[in-house]
Amino acid sequence: MVIKTDELPAAAPADSAREPSSQAGGKGRPGATEPPSVMLLNGDCPQSLKEEEKVAEPPRENGLDEPEPGEEATGQEVIVIQDTGFSVKILAPGIEPFSLQVSPQEMVQEIHQVLMDREDTCHRTCFSLHLDGNMLDHFSELRSVEGLQEGSVLRVVEEPYTVREARIHVRHVRDLLKSLDPSDAFNGVDCNSLSFLSVFTDGDLGDSGKRKKGLEMDPIDCTPPEYILPGSRERPLCPLQPQNRDWKPLQCLKVLTMSGWNPPPGNRKMHGDLMYLFVITAEDRQVSITASTRGFYLNQSTAYHFNPKPASPRFLSHSLVELLNQISPTFKKNFAVLQKKRVQRHPFERIATPFQVYSWTAPQAEHAMDCVRAEDAYTSRLGYEEHIPGQTRDWNEELQTTRELPRKNLPERLLRERAIFKVHSDFTAAATRGAMAVIDGNVMAINPSEETKMQMFIWNNIFFSLGFDVRDHYKDFGGDVAAYVAPTNDLNGVRTYNAVDVEGLYTLGTVVVDYRGYRVTAQSIIPGILERDQEQSVIYGSIDFGKTVVSHPRYLELLERTSRPLKILRHRVLNDRDEEVELCSSVECKGIIGNDGRHYILDLLRTFPPDLNFLPVPGEDLPEECTRAGFPRAHRHKLCCLRQELVDAFVEHRYLLFMKLAALQLMQQKASKMETTTTSLENGGPSSSESKSEVSPGAEEGSSSSGLAKVKELAETIASDDGAADPRSREVICNACKAVGSISSTAFDIRFNPDIFSPGVRFPESCQEEVRDQKQLLKDAAAFLLSCQIPGLVKDCTDHAVLPMDGATLAEVMRQRGINMRYLGKVLDLVLRSPTRDQLDHVYKIGIGELITRSAKHIFKTYLQGVELSGLSAAISHFLNCFLSSYPNPVAHLPADELVSKKRNKRRKNRPPGATDNTAWAIMTPQELWKNICQEAKNYFDFSLECESVDQAVETYGLQKITLLREISLKTGIQILLKEYSFDSRHKPAFTEEDVLNIFPVVKHVSPKASDAFHFFQSGQAKVQQGFLKEGCELINEALNLFNNVYGAMHVEICACLRLLARLHYIMGDYAEALSNQQKAVLMSERVMGIEHPNTIQEYMHLALYCFASSQLSTALSLLYRARYLMLLVFGEDHPEMALLDNNIGLVLHGVMEYDLSLRFLENALAVSTKYHGSKSLKVALSHHLVARVYESKAEFRSALQHEKEGYTIYKSQLGEDHEKTKESSEYLKCLTQQAVALQRTMNEIYRNGSNANIPPLKFTAPSMASVLEQLNVINGILFIPLSQKDLENLKAEVARRHQLQEASRNRDKAEEPMATEPEPAGSPEEAGSQPQAAKDPSPSLQG
């Protein structure tokens, strides 16, 4: 039986419906065609990706009545029906027949994909599959093909080429030639991203062939590079991207490009010529190739002379690869090696990610000639993907039709979610490309005569606008600043309405792109909106912030359905003619019926209520908690809203309050009733739920949990059926409702009016009381953020329940609690005032770094707007020098140096926005920049930084320049050269223009979720928490299949799923399976989150543990060293997680008898643990014990005794004499003392009798691997507790009993609680001491 104290709840993919994903950009999976297809991998793909199993319906809420956040059936029992795959035989020309495993709901085209990826058939693209002589349709599902069954034979038949097919073929050959080349990943193209795991594992971990014989005790080199050792000050950048051996590409050809003779003249077209290629082979032979309908052959053309006649050898080949094999021996040899290497790579290293991930560093790359890229750049491939009929995509139509797909049962929902996800990721990619084209000045505006700030653009059926205040639209809200934040607020609104998913209500596809200092909003286009005036089309809402307001019954009906999940109050406002208009959203939210008859809502920037802490309203006073903290403060704009997470947390908080109040009143009533007689409540109907609500004398005990259950029942009774409950209980509920600000007096229901405090919005007289209540509610919410959420966050950080490691993870934990980033200064103030300030040191450092880099980002944004394209790298390197270099007066190089222009060209009309001849950026100095950063920090975050230069900041706050460089690069999209920068040199600036390689867009978009998969995942977690590992494992496997079905193979949530599966397999003793799953989790984390994302660091640590358990010791060490290097780069050494990492490294080194090295890491871990957990914590006791064990192995018994005594003292004071931990420690002390005495005797003997003393040989034993593994499990929070079968049964019964009790008292909103909790940090706060008790006294909170 296992008790697990780490991470099971956490693996829940962040808050299903609302977690905004942070990755950006991206292009669909290779070869995905119009009908959304399941991505199927190459022949050697992991089986799990192929079995998309069918699942019986989990209980589902009826269509659309969105339940309250917690009403869903949790822990639904699910029956898994296997939809079994079968195998077919493939006959392809020229190779042996082979069999292929397929599943009935795959499409025929997925078999095409597999064949195009297999080593022996990868050179074919233009073929069809035939069954018994009949050609199969590309887009039909396999189950619909008649006669296709186990063992059927599919023939591959070569088809004639068309121009399109020939292009696809050349592209595919180019992709095969570049398949190991990482340049696309460095350049952030086509959803390629980096992964370095294979460098550290030397290939695949699961290879049984490579498994070391027995225990790997042959000497391995364990000494890490100097910069990884504890205490090293050096933070090199180059090891971040180690050079992969496979990247030095084998050259197959020197040049493959389109020939200048294209397109073929008419007479050659009629001979079947489609296009001409020009090739220079590795042997320097220049050849011209014709692509014809029948295949490829050499022609007799040269660079200057056109002769389309076939050249010798007269060899016609259906595949370009076969032709090149004929004419170039080097090509034949190298291409074969290349393909072998390509298929040996783990599939996860090469599948495209759903959204583009950009790398902030890249090595110096050779720029190579590439026909496909060149062609893409010139033929305006307006974002239309070649394989889509009808060329440009109607994004709006695609986005809306996928939403309209049926969703009655699981298969339908999967198909719908997959289609929605696919279209969103394609739309995000296209919008990103378009936004960059707009800012780079490559797109003509639709209103070219207006000034650049006001221009709007249409490209590829997407509408682009810039984040400036056009026509004083936001004059009352903060002008340009408001116009800059409005798009992100709007995007949050779109995200929210999409998540509620009401049938019949449509939102626009929306992507917000920050690029080169500009913010571009990309939206899909409502059909017909461009032909008519906005005034005519808006039939709901207001186009002038509430002067003229209109409403529409159909919109009210649709929005009414969203009001409960979104906590939006239906309310009335006055328009300019003093008429009352009813709305169910903020006034800015506009309703437009498109020409397609759909009801669209747009401008959702005020979906959530305003944040009064940042919105001073004359004559309104805030609660005392707010004024104490210095609020309200005027912000730069008036669009500050509360986050959805905050609204939900506030309502949940109020619900608990409501339950407590009602329970209290019921108790008092009962007490008074008892004095008379025990009368039961008379109920109207015989319905069972109502008869339960009789007040039983048992409740007298005052057990509040049963009291709460009573209230819950009572509340439901009253809400469901008027007249059922007696008036007194009704009064109880009514009082409680009134006390918590519920809008209904019979049931708990809190909603917000988003228009309160909106400038220009007026409310009718009749609603004044409601408005007053709403104002109070908003003030309470603002106070709740300050009095509950921020202190809660600080407490969680103190308890190490959350462990932020960099700016992004800190922002995430703040946002999960509904705290906006503008409160960062307040969070830091609270950390500073905290009594446990030292234990929050890491949070303080991250917070200060985040504050500095965010302030710098704000300055950088306006700085970049004044830079024209030719000066971009000079400007960025100058900014970085001012920001990070110790060089006192860096000089900017103006771009005029290289070239001298003959005459100043006249001002061009169509310049990209803001491109004036502006060199103001060149005069910035470090002093000025840092002054501005401190000012910005004060103005925006209300925090006073005490530093006038980067060196002072580093000194004062203990920051690292390399970390600041990483943070600013990630936030602004800068990509810099991978090399060692001398930040601290006072003789030359750290950056030159050559060091700035690129600037990428930073993209915010909607990330659609796989809801069913997520429910399975949560049920699986719940099962695991209750100790049913097998059942949990099955559910999570099922969730994995469903996630794969919706997202394809790569996604953050799949990563969490794999990590949890690996953990479970490890606990159940299946190390090989654990390794394979964890390897996938690491690869996926590197690819989708980034190679140095804190999540990736965690995954590396887990993988190292499973490697050690599978006795791959050197691999385990190199993985741990990699994790330590990444952590040093991302944060530095002084982090609570570093203690865990160093304990892991120390234990492994102890295991391979590297005692001195081991001590360096273990003693560092001891120091860090003592700092962050306090010297009396059980974690520290464990640390002392680990150090003592190494000293014992070195036979230094005095030091060993000293450490073990420290540990013993802690155990004794924390757990008492009789606890088994204390006893173990005291046993170990005795044993050490005996060894020390024996050693002393021997030494005395030697002193007395000189060299001829007869000495019994001393036994120094190396620690056994099993004992090291046991300690590793302990520190990583995994415990195997040996229990007899009977114990197990009792334990399960006990857990079940507790679970029922909990269920009974659990209130409505908390139904999802066990999943939503944060993980306890590895090893749980009170480490190993609490676990043996847990075995005797299992409680659900310990996931027994």
Side-chain angles (χ1 to χ4, degrees):
M1 173 55 206
V2 181
I3 290 195
K4 186 42 220 63
T5 60
D6 166 25
E7 199 178 47
L8 293 182
D15 231 48
S16 71
R18 21 181 154 101
E19 203 32 43
S21 143
S22 56
Q23 298 88 15
K27 178 169 170 180
R29 279 152 229 63
T33 353
E34 256 305 57
S37 64
V38 189
M39 172 62 192
L40 189 140
L41 300 168
N42 48 352
D44 53 18
C45 96
Q47 214 38 46
S48 64
L49 286 173
K50 285 195 183 171
E51 300 160 7
E52 274 124 16
E53 295 154 356
K54 277 277 176 293
V55 188
E57 250 316 64
R60 181 76 180 175
E61 315 80 31
N62 47 357
L64 256 177
D65 297 343
E66 261 302 304
E68 273 296 312
E71 270 173 18
E72 289 128 10
T74 43
Q76 344 127 335
E77 296 300 319
V78 260
I79 316 97
V80 178
I81 309 165
Q82 287 285 350
D83 185 349
T84 43
F86 54 95
S87 61
V88 291
K89 208 171 190 121
I90 305 278
L91 282 180
I95 59 164
E96 293 294 305
F98 59 89
S99 68
L100 184 68
Q101 188 70 23
V102 292
S103 112
Q105 72 268 40
E106 280 166 14
M107 294 194 184
V108 175
Q109 70 152 2
E110 292 171 37
I111 301 184
H112 275 249
Q113 281 302 316
V114 172
L115 295 180
M116 282 164 64
D117 207 63
R118 265 184 75 100
E119 190 180 350
D120 46 8
T121 55
C122 65
H123 53 277
R124 308 183 174 282
T125 59
C126 186
F127 59 87
S128 55
L129 294 168
H130 290 234
L131 175 67
D132 307 332
N134 298 325
M135 181 169 143
L136 304 186
D137 170 34
H138 225 58
F139 297 125
S140 54
E141 291 195 342
L142 294 185
R143 59 173 146 215
S144 62
V145 176
E146 271 181 53
L148 184 63
Q149 64 214 28
E150 177 70 41
S152 296
V153 177
L154 293 178
R155 295 188 72 86
V156 173
V157 178
E158 297 176 341
E159 295 288 332
Y161 283 100
T162 58
V163 173
R164 175 172 173 273
E165 284 293 347
R167 272 171 189 256
I168 287 177
H169 186 76
V170 173
R171 249 169 210 281
H172 181 63
V173 170
R174 173 261 181 198
D175 287 342
L176 292 175
L177 291 174
K178 297 200 79 139
S179 55
L180 295 182
D181 178 12
S183 57
D184 281 357
F186 287 121
N187 295 332
V189 187
D190 288 351
C191 283
N192 285 306
S193 58
L194 297 163
S195 160
F196 290 98
L197 177 64
S198 55
V199 179
F200 301 97
T201 56
D202 283 337
D204 199 8
L205 289 169
D207 286 3
S208 41
K210 287 190 188 166
R211 184 56 55 74
K212 314 291 185 287
K213 313 166 285 300
L215 270 186
E216 193 193 86
M217 277 325 262
D218 38 332
I220 49 180
D221 182 26
C222 308
T223 324
E226 194 57 40
Y227 57 82
I228 289 178
L229 289 172
S232 161
R233 310 288 313 139
E234 181 190 3
R235 298 280 180 267
L237 184 56
C238 289
L240 177 60
Q241 294 174 343
Q243 281 302 302
N244 195 326
R245 288 192 301 277
D246 292 345
W247 286 354
K248 279 287 153 257
L250 295 156
Q251 199 181 31
C252 299
L253 291 175
K254 290 200 169 158
V255 175
L256 160 65
T257 148
M258 297 292 164
S259 155
W261 296 114
N262 282 319
N267 64 330
R268 288 310 305 170
K269 256 192 199 153
M270 299 169 78
H271 282 84
D273 289 11
L274 301 172
M275 63 184 188
Y276 305 117
L277 303 171
F278 175 66
V279 169
I280 302 179
T281 65
E283 296 88 356
D284 273 332
R285 176 177 171 199
Q286 306 195 0
V287 292
S288 206
I289 296 177
T290 301
S292 74
T293 48
R294 296 167 48 215
F296 295 82
Y297 61 86
L298 300 184
N299 61 40
Q300 296 179 23
S301 303
T302 63
Y304 306 109
H305 175 70
F306 180 63
N307 179 358
K309 295 273 182 293
S312 60
R314 296 188 162 215
F315 177 79
L316 173 77
S317 156
H318 191 263
S319 137
L320 180 58
V321 172
E322 284 171 4
L323 177 65
L324 294 168
N325 276 342
Q326 287 290 322
I327 59 173
S328 162
T330 316
F331 178 87
K332 185 171 186 172
K333 184 175 110 234
N334 287 355
F335 187 76
V337 177
L338 188 73
Q339 293 322 307
K340 217 170 215 61
K341 278 190 171 168
R342 178 180 69 87
V343 294
Q344 277 167 1
R345 289 174 69 195
H346 196 287
F348 282 8
E349 291 183 61
R350 38 202 193 106
I351 303 168
T353 57
F355 300 104
Q356 185 68 55
V357 177
Y358 298 101
S359 164
W360 63 278
T361 52
Q364 191 70 62
E366 302 286 298
H367 187 54
M369 198 184 267
D370 182 339
C371 61
V372 175
R373 283 268 174 274
E375 186 196 10
D376 287 353
Y378 291 127
T379 58
S380 150
R381 185 172 69 125
L382 262 190
Y384 62 77
E385 318 315 339
E386 312 256 296
H387 43 251
I388 287 169
Q391 305 320 350
T392 45
R393 295 171 70 166
D394 182 344
W395 291 111
N396 191 67
E397 191 52 34
E398 284 192 43
L399 287 161
Q400 312 312 346
T401 14
T402 49
R403 288 226 164 265
E404 288 164 351
L405 290 171
R407 42 171 147 180
K408 288 194 269 309
N409 53 30
L410 185 74
E412 284 185 352
R413 280 199 302 275
L414 285 178
L415 199 70
R416 174 174 183 266
E417 286 178 343
R418 179 162 81 203
I420 289 175
F421 185 76
K422 178 82 181 76
V423 172
H424 267 284
S425 79
D426 288 358
F427 176 69
T428 304
T432 308
R433 235 181 17 242
M436 290 168 72
V438 163
I439 296 301
D440 289 338
N442 305 337
V443 181
M444 179 82 175
I446 51 179
N447 50 347
S449 51
E450 306 207 23
E451 67 164 309
T452 39
K453 278 188 175 183
M454 304 182 66
Q455 289 178 351
M456 291 170 276
F457 306 82
I458 288 180
W459 178 90
N460 187 6
N461 281 330
I462 305 175
F463 174 79
F464 296 92
S465 52
L466 300 171
F468 293 111
D469 184 11
V470 186
R471 304 194 184 80
D472 287 344
H473 191 63
Y474 292 103
K475 193 174 73 204
D476 301 342
F477 291 88
D480 275 352
V481 185
Y484 189 83
V485 298
T488 44
N489 280 8
D490 182 36
L491 178 68
N492 287 334
V494 171
R495 202 175 269 145
T496 314
Y497 277 102
N498 279 356
V500 176
D501 213 4
V502 166
E503 222 167 315
L505 189 64
Y506 298 89
T507 55
L508 302 185
T510 309
V511 174
V512 178
V513 180
D514 290 318
Y515 177 61
R516 285 181 50 196
Y518 295 95
R519 173 158 285 180
V520 187
T521 311
Q523 290 170 313
S524 61
I525 301 170
I526 298 179
I529 183 88
L530 297 166
E531 288 94 74
R532 42 187 191 185
D533 230 10
Q534 203 180 10
E535 279 79 16
Q536 307 159 353
S537 23
V538 173
I539 57 163
Y540 171 90
S542 160
I543 56 167
D544 46 18
F545 288 102
K547 294 186 194 54
T548 49
V549 192
V550 284
S551 188
H552 188 280
R554 176 76 183 128
Y555 269 104
L556 279 175
E557 175 196 336
L558 287 169
L559 288 166
E560 180 66 49
R561 294 193 213 163
T562 66
S563 76
R564 190 163 170 204
L566 298 188
K567 324 271 190 290
I568 293 176
L569 179 68
R570 189 165 170 161
H571 59 280
R572 297 198 297 281
V573 298
L574 293 174
N575 64 12
D576 49 357
R577 296 199 292 280
D578 287 341
E579 299 156 349
E580 293 192 8
V581 181
E582 189 160 24
L583 295 176
C584 194
S585 65
S586 67
V587 287
E588 299 82 11
C589 169
K590 303 172 189 41
I592 294 181
I593 298 184
N595 285 358
D596 52 4
R598 295 188 177 109
H599 291 75
Y600 293 91
I601 49 169
L602 51 157
D603 286 354
L604 307 174
L605 53 143
R606 303 185 66 134
T607 305
F608 295 110
D611 179 352
L612 293 194
N613 288 327
F614 286 92
L615 190 70
V617 182
E620 296 284 349
D621 294 328
L622 286 186
E624 194 241 350
E625 296 97 320
C626 303
T627 48
R628 237 199 347 257
F631 289 109
R633 288 186 59 230
H635 201 53
R636 294 177 177 178
H637 56 82
K638 296 187 177 165
L639 295 179
C640 293
C641 319
L642 299 172
R643 294 184 65 86
Q644 184 182 10
E645 295 89 340
L646 185 91
V647 172
D648 291 348
F650 176 70
V651 171
E652 193 167 291
H653 173 76
R654 281 285 159 111
Y655 183 63
L656 284 175
L657 187 65
F658 164 78
M659 293 301 259
K660 281 182 189 139
L661 286 170
L664 204 67
Q665 290 190 0
L666 275 182
M667 298 294 172
Q668 291 165 351
Q669 277 196 15
K670 242 169 287 161
S672 61
K673 270 188 199 170
M674 285 304 182
E675 290 158 20
T676 55
T677 60
T678 330
T679 55
S680 64
L681 299 178
E682 288 305 317
N683 288 332
S687 123
S688 65
S689 79
E690 284 156 13
S691 56
K692 271 193 230 149
S693 87
E694 300 179 9
V695 178
S696 62
E700 221 353 279
E701 298 149 19
S703 119
S704 77
S705 74
S706 63
L708 287 175
K710 287 278 157 349
V711 179
K712 186 171 184 187
E713 237 143 59
L714 184 65
E716 280 161 6
T717 308
I718 291 176
S720 63
D721 177 9
D722 289 351
D726 80 338
R728 295 184 60 178
S729 339
R730 178 160 295 214
E731 181 194 4
V732 168
I733 297 289
C734 181
N735 290 343
C737 284
K738 202 164 171 183
V740 295
S742 163
I743 55 168
S744 135
S745 61
T746 56
F748 174 82
D749 190 358
I750 284 191
R751 303 191 194 183
F752 290 90
N753 175 345
D755 283 329
I756 300 277
F757 296 126
S758 256
V761 177
R762 300 175 305 141
F763 298 99
E765 275 304 311
S766 55
C767 310
Q768 288 314 315
E769 186 168 326
E770 181 189 291
V771 170
R772 199 183 61 240
D773 291 348
Q774 279 292 324
K775 286 184 175 175
Q776 191 50 47
L777 202 57
L778 281 181
K779 292 175 186 174
D780 293 348
F784 170 74
L785 197 156
L786 293 171
S787 60
C788 290
Q789 295 304 83
I790 294 182
L793 170 72
V794 173
K795 181 180 183 312
D796 284 346
C797 289
T798 314
D799 300 343
H800 304 298
V802 292
L803 277 173
M805 206 181 288
D806 69 344
T809 40
L810 176 67
E812 196 181 329
V813 296
M814 283 176 63
R815 287 173 181 148
Q816 278 168 359
R817 286 158 185 70
I819 305 168
N820 310 68
M821 286 316 288
R822 56 177 173 269
Y823 285 100
L824 182 58
K826 284 288 159 274
V827 173
L828 289 177
D829 281 341
L830 200 61
V831 168
L832 272 178
R833 295 204 308 273
S834 158
T836 49
R837 161 76 182 82
D838 280 352
Q839 294 183 25
L840 289 167
D841 206 28
H842 60 298
V843 182
Y844 187 62
K845 271 186 201 162
I846 296 169
I848 292 284
E850 187 69 349
L851 200 96
I852 290 176
T853 43
R854 277 178 183 266
S855 303
K857 178 186 80 169
H858 296 167
I859 297 163
F860 185 66
K861 181 188 83 196
T862 36
Y863 171 89
L864 267 194
Q865 288 178 4
V867 179
E868 56 175 281
L869 198 49
S870 59
L872 210 52
S873 57
I876 293 174
S877 60
H878 180 61
F879 182 90
L880 289 175
N881 279 328
C882 294
F883 183 43
L884 293 172
S885 175
S886 306
Y887 183 65
N889 39 4
V891 180
H893 295 281
L894 292 175
D897 300 353
E898 291 179 31
L899 304 167
V900 181
S901 142
K902 271 284 176 21
K903 55 177 191 288
R904 301 297 297 148
N905 51 358
K906 300 280 180 289
R907 285 208 49 190
R908 293 200 320 287
K909 182 93 174 119
N910 188 24
R911 318 199 92 163
T916 45
D917 295 321
N918 189 342
T919 51
W921 56 268
I923 55 179
M924 174 185 275
T925 64
Q927 297 75 21
E928 179 196 356
L929 174 62
W930 276 90
K931 196 171 115 214
N932 290 342
I933 287 177
C934 294
Q935 236 170 340
E936 181 70 12
K938 185 70 189 144
N939 297 346
Y940 195 91
F941 298 106
D942 192 26
F943 190 85
S944 312
L945 286 172
E946 269 118 48
C947 50
E948 286 163 22
S949 69
V950 66
D951 295 315
Q952 223 175 331
V954 168
E955 194 56 40
T956 316
Y957 299 110
L959 306 174
Q960 304 186 130
K961 288 188 180 179
I962 190 96
T963 305
L964 291 173
L965 176 63
R966 171 180 178 264
E967 294 282 358
I968 190 82
S969 303
L970 290 176
K971 286 181 178 54
T972 53
I974 301 170
Q975 186 186 50
I976 57 158
L977 180 62
L978 185 72
K979 69 170 209 192
E980 301 313 338
Y981 291 94
S982 48
F983 295 109
D984 298 336
S985 158
R986 301 192 63 78
H987 305 297
K988 65 178 205 325
F991 299 89
T992 68
E993 348 176 358
E994 300 309 314
D995 296 333
V996 179
L997 298 183
N998 209 335
I999 184 158
F1000 291 124
V1002 176
V1003 185
K1004 301 180 176 67
H1005 57 88
V1006 175
S1007 230
K1009 293 287 177 235
S1011 54
D1012 289 288
F1014 187 64
H1015 289 314
F1016 272 82
F1017 187 76
Q1018 289 190 319
S1019 320
Q1021 282 182 318
K1023 279 272 180 269
V1024 171
Q1025 285 180 342
Q1026 295 158 29
F1028 303 107
L1029 297 183
K1030 264 271 179 278
E1031 294 91 324
C1033 210
E1034 278 165 18
L1035 281 168
I1036 287 163
N1037 257 316
E1038 197 44 55
L1040 181 63
N1041 282 320
L1042 300 184
F1043 277 136
N1044 277 325
N1045 217 323
V1046 173
Y1047 295 140
M1050 284 273 165
H1051 196 271
V1052 184
E1053 293 177 17
I1054 300 180
C1055 187
C1057 222
L1058 287 165
R1059 175 197 329 161
L1060 186 51
L1061 270 179
R1063 192 100 200 193
L1064 288 172
H1065 284 298
Y1066 180 70
I1067 288 173
M1068 297 192 297
D1070 184 350
Y1071 294 164
E1073 195 56 27
L1075 257 184
S1076 138
N1077 278 316
Q1078 189 56 34
Q1079 181 186 12
K1080 290 178 202 162
V1082 176
L1083 285 170
M1084 198 174 299
S1085 184
E1086 288 193 305
R1087 296 281 321 277
V1088 252
M1089 318 271 278
I1091 53 172
E1092 80 294 6
H1093 189 279
N1095 194 64
T1096 309
I1097 300 178
Q1098 300 265 336
E1099 304 295 9
Y1100 263 101
M1101 286 165 64
H1102 296 312
L1103 184 61
L1105 173 65
Y1106 308 153
C1107 275
F1108 186 87
S1110 316
S1111 52
Q1112 304 186 12
L1113 308 186
S1114 54
T1115 307
L1117 261 180
S1118 57
L1119 293 170
L1120 286 169
Y1121 287 155
R1122 170 70 171 170
R1124 191 171 209 277
Y1125 165 71
L1126 293 175
M1127 204 188 290
L1128 288 172
L1129 179 85
V1130 166
F1131 176 82
E1133 198 155 55
D1134 191 16
H1135 192 281
E1137 223 18 27
M1138 193 57 104
L1140 176 65
L1141 183 50
D1142 282 352
N1143 273 331
N1144 273 303
I1145 297 177
L1147 273 168
V1148 176
L1149 287 169
H1150 184 196
V1152 296
M1153 296 163 40
E1154 288 276 350
Y1155 302 135
D1156 292 334
L1157 206 48
S1158 167
L1159 275 176
R1160 287 186 70 170
F1161 286 100
L1162 289 177
E1163 289 180 327
N1164 188 57
L1166 177 60
V1168 175
S1169 289
T1170 311
K1171 170 173 176 180
Y1172 284 107
H1173 296 281
S1175 56
K1176 287 282 165 278
S1177 119
L1178 295 173
K1179 265 195 174 9
V1180 175
L1182 182 65
S1183 232
H1184 278 300
H1185 174 64
L1186 298 180
V1187 175
R1189 285 180 36 154
V1190 182
Y1191 275 124
E1192 177 199 10
S1193 301
K1194 288 181 68 180
E1196 295 184 15
F1197 296 116
R1198 180 166 297 151
S1199 307
L1201 276 166
Q1202 190 186 335
H1203 278 287
E1204 191 54 45
K1205 274 189 188 131
E1206 295 272 344
Y1208 174 74
T1209 324
I1210 297 175
Y1211 283 134
K1212 196 170 139 186
S1213 69
Q1214 296 282 351
L1215 305 171
E1217 285 280 8
D1218 305 328
H1219 193 281
E1220 76 187 80
K1221 272 288 164 199
T1222 322
K1223 287 181 186 158
E1224 270 173 34
S1225 181
S1226 112
E1227 283 301 307
Y1228 185 55
L1229 275 172
K1230 278 183 201 146
C1231 157
L1232 281 175
T1233 316
Q1234 284 160 5
Q1235 283 176 282
V1237 170
L1239 180 68
Q1240 199 53 49
R1241 268 203 205 113
T1242 313
M1243 298 307 280
N1244 294 347
E1245 181 83 8
I1246 294 176
Y1247 288 137
R1248 270 208 304 279
N1249 304 345
S1251 54
N1252 55 6
N1254 85 28
I1255 316 166
L1258 277 174
K1259 293 193 177 64
F1260 291 136
T1261 50
S1264 73
M1265 284 302 149
S1267 72
V1268 173
L1269 185 58
E1270 188 187 342
Q1271 292 295 340
L1272 277 170
N1273 287 330
V1274 169
I1275 62 170
N1276 288 295
I1278 296 178
L1279 275 157
F1280 302 83
I1281 298 174
L1283 295 174
S1284 67
Q1285 203 45 47
K1286 188 160 168 252
D1287 290 345
L1288 264 177
E1289 295 310 317
N1290 298 344
L1291 190 65
K1292 281 197 175 163
E1294 169 70 359
V1295 168
R1297 193 177 67 77
R1298 302 224 164 182
H1299 195 67
Q1300 281 164 348
L1301 276 176
Q1302 266 204 327
E1303 279 303 308
S1305 68
R1306 186 176 290 161
N1307 49 54
R1308 183 189 60 176
D1309 271 39
K1310 286 279 191 150
E1312 292 177 330
E1313 211 31 39
M1315 282 69 75
T1317 52
E1318 277 294 321
E1320 294 203 27
S1324 110
E1326 287 313 344
E1327 198 23 76
S1330 59
Q1331 275 113 16
Q1333 291 172 313
K1336 299 171 198 144
D1337 168 25
S1339 71
S1341 68
L1342 254 168
Q1343 302 139 35

